């Protein structure tokens, strides 16, 4: 299977390739990609250099242009596609149907992948994207079980890529405006979720309170590690219950499921985390490359080697196991 | 500008559904979208009401469409989505899965859960047969204006979320079941206990969200009470009215009066605060710093809880 690693910076791209990533994905430094964080991403020269570096070592580069263009501002997104092609990118990762139509018409030679932000969750809609826009690979949403992924692969002709490590969206991706409800900034429109610009911490009697856009997301006792206040991982009250209504502050680790995902017909395994450091990306890439080689050789999967890298120090296999629902 | 009643997002008893749609026959609404958009498991309990409601509403002179499910993963959900084309009503597409089985050239509507953010997407959908599009609630006024103008050129009616708790997210996981310590597959239909969703507050008691099965809603009811002129100026042709359990037909009457100019924005807002679940309003997605923001008066704004 192909290992697809994140790169938020040129240094992370080089580190990922050197650590064994067969493919790296990255984006331009603006609202055209879903990790539009301060200090991250690539300018045009860096993209061309990154692609040349990867190609020189037999690796591929995918450019994520996976937010939804603003009405009246489509040229920014169209330019990103043209510049990705000029830089020599192996594919673009798109979510918006207007953008897919534009790429298919104006850049027919540039391979198109469907972003997880399109949340294509069944064979019919995947075949729709394949037939309408010539999509060659689909990044599956994190709402599916391994059995469902296997069933999808039996009914489609395009490749599938699934997330195996990193942040975990519990909502159907690309169809969530929780962040903009609280902050005005959303993944779809701005490429950010629960942005740091809207986070405030306060020492209060009960401990450290984290607020997002003024809404309290969680409170941790003194001396306890405080997870980042991502809205859907917050602690809330409903009726007589207080707790993590949507999801605990855990991250995804599907290492143990790699053999099952291979049997399910998955082409590529994806690591989330373009906002992560070069050292993190290198360690995760090395570890997953080893796991993929173990899988290919029929050896058991390495156990929890990456636990210390997981957000909130706890990991889940998420929707891949049906009990999660 | 007229009113479209969106599909009921909640799980109500069949008899409640019947009474609700009978109550709309005399309401000042131009069209109604029927069907289940949130969870396929609910459908067997009330699907017999759909044909009856369609007949009743069509006889009363309303246009009627049927929605697709918002998140289609199971085989029976795919079958149900494909079968929508055989019903004989226009389909409101709320997941692009529905397009795969829709004959080319057959006109359809596009619901608020489809990501129509820009001209390219609207143009593509119009070429495929879209004749009516309810924009995603997240869109700000300047985007709405660009798309409404283009819609007019393309012959597509452009609608915006006018009233109702905002559909903020949908998941593979059922939060209602989770709150009752049930798995999704043995949910015991606990979402039916909360006819307007189950309220979720922050640890500081701020009114924040509402859980509706696999869907997450805003706890505030979005209202375009103060935005009618701006939306009309932008070229919006309809407001989407999302059902709530109490006083819904009267609420439609009040919006119609507001559109006709016989009720002020402040009077509409004041009457809504007494009628919407939890008594809180918002309009910040259209014109504000965040979706939860409300541009009403200071007194009303205090309900914001911030």
């Amino acid at each position: 299977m192909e290992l697809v690693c994140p790169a938020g910076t040129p240094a992370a791209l080089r580190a990922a390739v050197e650590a064994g990533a067969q493919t790296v994905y990255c984006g331009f430094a603006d609202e055209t990609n879903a990790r539009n964080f301060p200090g991250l991403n690539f300018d045009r020269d860096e993209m061309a250099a990154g692609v040349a570096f990867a190609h020189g070592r037999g690796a591929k580069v995918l450019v994520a242009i996976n937010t939804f263009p603003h009405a009246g501002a489509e040229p920014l997104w169209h330019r990103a596609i043209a510049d990705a092609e000029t830089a020599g990118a192996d594919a673009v990762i798109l979510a918006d149907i207007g953008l897919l139509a534009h790429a298919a018409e104006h850049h027919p030679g540039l391979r198109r992948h469907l972003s997880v932000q399109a949340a294509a969750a069944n064979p019919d809609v995947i075949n729709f994207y394949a037939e309408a826009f010539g999509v060659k690979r689909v990044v599956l949403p994190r709402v599916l079980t391994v059995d469902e992924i296997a069933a999808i692969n039996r009914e489609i002709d395009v490749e599938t890529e699934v997330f195996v490590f990193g942040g975990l969206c519990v909502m159907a991706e690309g169809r969530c405006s929780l962040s903009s409800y609280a902050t005005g900034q959303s993944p779809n429109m701005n490429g950010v979720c629960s942005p740091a610009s809207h986070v405030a911490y306060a020492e209060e009697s009960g401990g450290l309170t984290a607020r997002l856009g003024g809404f309290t997301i969680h409170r941790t006792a003194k001396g306890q590690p405080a997870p980042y206040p991502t809205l859907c991982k917050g602690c809330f009250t409903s009726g007589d219950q207080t707790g993590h209504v949507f999801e605990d502050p855990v991250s995804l680790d599907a290492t143990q499921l790699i053999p099952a995902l291979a049997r399910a017909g998955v082409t590529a395994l994806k690591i989330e985390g373009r906002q992560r450091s070069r050292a993190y990306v290198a360690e995760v890439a090395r570890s997953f490359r080893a796991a993929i080689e173990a899988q290919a050789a029929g050896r058991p999967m390495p156990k929890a080697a990456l636990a210390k890298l997981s957000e909130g120090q706890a990991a889940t296999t998420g929707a891949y196991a049906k009990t999660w629902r | 500008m007229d009113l479209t009643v969106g599909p009921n997002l909640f799980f109500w008893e069949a008899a409640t559904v019947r009474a609700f749609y009978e109550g709309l026959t005399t309401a000042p609404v131009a069209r109604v979208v029927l069907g289940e958009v949130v969870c396929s498991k609910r459908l067997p309990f009330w699907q017999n009401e759909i044909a009856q409601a369609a007949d009743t509403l069509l006889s009363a002179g309303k246009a009627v469409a049927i929605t697709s499910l918002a998140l289609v993963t199971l085989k029976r959900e795919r079958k149900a989505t494909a079968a929508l084309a055989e019903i004989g009503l226009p389909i409101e597409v709320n997941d692009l899965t529905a397009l795969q089985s829709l004959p080319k050239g057959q006109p359809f509507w596009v619901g608020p859960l489809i990501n129509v953010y820009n001209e390219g997407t609207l143009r593509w959908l119009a070429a495929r047969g879209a004749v009516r599009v309810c924009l995603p609630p997240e869109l700000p006024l300047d985007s709405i204006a660009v798309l409404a103008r283009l819609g007019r050129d393309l012959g597509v009616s452009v609608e915006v979320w006018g009233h109702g708790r905002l559909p903020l997210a949908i998941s593979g996981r059922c939060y209602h079941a989770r709150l009752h310590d049930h798995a999704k597959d043995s949910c015991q239909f606990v979402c039916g206990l909360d006819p307007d969703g189950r309220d979720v507050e922050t640890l500081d008691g701020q009114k924040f969200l509402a859980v509706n099965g696999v869907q997450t809603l805003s706890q505030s009811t979005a209202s375009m009470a103060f935005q009618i002129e701006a939306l009309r100026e932008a070229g919006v042709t309809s407001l989407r009215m999302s059902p709530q359990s109490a006083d819904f037909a009267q609420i439609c009457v009040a919006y119609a009066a507001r559109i006709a100019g016989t009720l002020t924005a402040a009077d509409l807002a004041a009457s809504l605060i007494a009628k919407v679940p939890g008594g809180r309003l918002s309009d910040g997605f259209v014109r504000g710093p965040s979706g939860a923001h409300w541009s009403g008066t200071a007194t009303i704004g205090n309900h914001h809880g911030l």
Side-chain angles (χ1 to χ4, degrees):
Chain A
M1 279 190 287
E2 175 185 335
L3 176 61
V4 182
C5 288
T9 61
L13 180 148
R14 293 190 295 271
V17 170
E18 282 168 351
Q22 287 111 327
T23 301
V24 173
Y25 67 103
C26 48
F28 291 117
D30 53 36
E31 289 186 316
T32 62
N33 87 87
R35 284 289 181 277
N36 176 30
F37 298 168
L40 274 197
N41 298 315
F42 291 61
D43 67 22
R44 268 51 182 176
D45 291 342
E46 289 168 338
M47 189 64 81
V51 171
F53 178 88
H55 285 177
R57 284 155 186 79
K60 291 179 176 165
V61 175
L62 315 178
V63 179
I65 306 170
N66 57 346
T67 50
F68 295 81
H70 300 186
E74 288 176 308
L76 178 68
W77 279 260
H78 294 170
R79 215 156 40 237
I81 293 176
D83 291 347
E85 186 169 44
T86 304
D90 296 279
V92 284
I93 309 172
L94 310 175
D96 179 63
I97 59 179
L99 209 51
L100 282 159
H102 173 88
E105 185 182 345
H106 297 280
H107 306 276
L110 182 59
R111 187 177 156 101
R112 292 174 291 285
H113 291 186
L114 188 68
S115 170
V116 71
Q117 296 303 115
N122 67 69
D124 301 324
V125 75
I126 292 169
N127 287 331
F128 159 76
Y129 281 106
E131 288 164 24
F133 309 113
V135 161
K136 298 291 185 217
R137 179 184 292 186
V138 175
V139 186
L140 294 177
R142 286 160 279 194
V143 298
L144 297 166
T145 65
V146 174
D147 287 346
E148 286 166 353
I149 292 169
I152 285 173
N153 274 319
R154 285 194 290 271
E155 290 188 58
I156 62 172
D157 293 326
V158 301
E159 301 168 353
T160 52
E161 177 174 309
V162 302
F163 280 94
V164 288
F165 194 78
L168 173 73
C169 273
V170 299
M171 306 303 181
E173 295 92 339
R175 305 178 75 177
C176 177
S177 356
L178 287 170
S179 177
S180 50
Y181 184 69
T183 72
Q185 303 275 303
S186 75
N188 284 3
M189 295 193 67
N190 313 100
V192 296
C193 173
S194 307
S197 52
H198 289 68
V199 172
Y201 292 97
E203 290 277 3
E204 291 171 0
S205 55
L208 184 68
T209 300
R211 294 194 174 86
L212 181 73
F215 291 103
T216 303
I217 302 300
H218 52 65
R219 186 170 287 132
T220 36
K222 272 204 172 63
Q224 294 296 308
Y228 186 84
T230 303
L231 203 159
C232 60
K233 316 273 175 65
C235 188
F236 304 108
T237 296
S238 181
D240 56 3
Q241 295 214 47
T242 293
H244 295 100
V245 169
F246 305 103
E247 177 58 296
D248 304 322
V250 293
S251 68
L252 176 69
D253 183 357
T255 309
Q256 300 307 315
L257 295 177
I258 289 174
L261 292 167
R263 284 194 298 276
V266 168
T267 299
L269 302 179
K270 183 166 208 159
I271 311 293
E272 184 275 343
R274 283 188 279 150
Q275 71 283 17
R276 299 296 200 139
S277 71
R278 173 178 55 169
Y280 170 96
V281 169
E283 188 165 353
V284 176
R286 209 172 292 121
S287 171
F288 272 87
R289 182 65 186 265
I292 287 171
E293 280 169 10
Q295 184 274 324
R299 296 194 306 270
M301 293 297 101
K303 284 223 159 45
L306 293 166
K308 65 179 181 300
L309 292 175
S310 295
E311 182 187 331
Q313 313 297 310
T316 174
T317 53
Y320 296 136
K322 205 173 181 188
T323 47
W324 180 83
R325 288 176 177 173
Chain B
M1 188 183 280
D2 59 21
L3 302 179
T4 301
V5 176
N8 174 33
L9 302 178
F10 306 104
F11 185 35
W12 296 347
E13 300 274 351
T16 309
V17 171
R18 198 175 315 145
F20 178 83
Y21 288 114
E22 278 165 7
L24 287 184
T25 54
T26 53
V29 302
R31 62 194 74 77
V32 180
V33 184
L34 298 171
E36 177 64 49
V37 69
V38 173
C39 180
S40 64
K41 290 181 67 179
R42 298 167 171 178
L43 206 44
F45 293 90
W46 73 278
Q47 65 185 356
N48 291 340
E49 298 302 321
I50 295 175
Q52 177 69 48
D55 286 346
T56 307
L57 291 162
L58 286 167
S59 307
K62 316 295 185 193
V64 176
I66 182 121
T67 181
S68 78
L69 279 169
L71 185 63
V72 179
T73 56
L74 306 175
K75 202 151 217 168
R76 65 177 160 77
E77 294 169 343
R78 291 166 59 200
K79 278 190 188 145
T81 304
L84 289 175
E86 297 154 19
I87 290 177
L89 293 170
I91 296 175
E92 175 166 293
V93 172
N94 271 303
D95 184 285
L96 292 172
T97 305
L99 279 191
Q100 185 65 356
S101 50
L102 191 74
K104 290 228 163 54
Q106 186 170 318
F108 61 94
W109 302 4
V110 175
L113 302 179
I114 296 295
N115 285 332
V116 183
Y117 281 84
N118 53 63
E119 302 94 308
T121 297
L122 184 57
R123 237 182 243 115
W124 191 90
L125 289 167
R128 180 68 174 77
V131 294
R132 168 168 291 279
V133 173
C134 180
L135 297 175
E138 183 181 60
L139 282 185
L141 186 59
D142 53 357
S143 290
I144 292 170
V146 170
L147 295 172
R149 207 176 312 125
L150 177 62
R152 202 166 42 206
D153 298 343
L154 296 170
V156 176
S157 303
V158 170
E159 182 173 313
V160 302
W161 192 266
H163 175 95
R165 287 185 156 182
L166 293 155
L168 297 177
I170 191 135
S171 175
R173 182 180 235 184
C174 180
Y175 302 113
H176 239 111
R178 187 169 148 88
L179 278 165
H180 286 263
D181 288 323
H182 300 320
K184 185 180 174 188
D185 286 346
S186 51
C187 66
Q188 297 176 38
F189 302 96
V190 289
C191 58
L193 298 172
D194 302 294
D196 294 290
R198 176 167 164 160
D199 288 352
V200 173
E201 274 88 43
T202 70
L203 292 178
D204 289 321
Q206 297 156 301
K207 313 285 184 193
F208 192 20
L209 303 170
V211 161
N212 174 37
V214 295
Q215 184 178 53
T216 304
L217 300 165
S218 64
Q219 197 174 127
S220 68
T221 294
S223 170
M224 291 303 110
F226 285 91
Q227 310 300 340
I228 300 291
E229 287 74 16
L231 294 173
R232 188 184 280 137
E233 169 76 22
V236 170
T237 59
S238 309
L239 289 187
R240 161 94 21 154
M241 306 291 294
S242 190
Q244 61 174 62
S245 65
D247 302 322
F248 187 71
Q250 287 163 265
I251 288 172
C252 291
V253 170
Y255 275 90
R258 170 77 179 93
I259 289 168
T262 57
L263 186 68
T264 66
D267 285 347
L268 172 58
S271 79
L272 291 175
I273 281 169
K275 290 190 172 81
V276 301
R280 305 159 37 70
L281 301 173
S282 64
D283 59 4
F285 275 141
V286 172
R287 202 149 57 164
S290 66
H293 188 260
W294 172 236
S295 62
T297 65
T299 327
I300 298 165
N302 284 342
H303 289 261
H304 193 250
L306 292 180

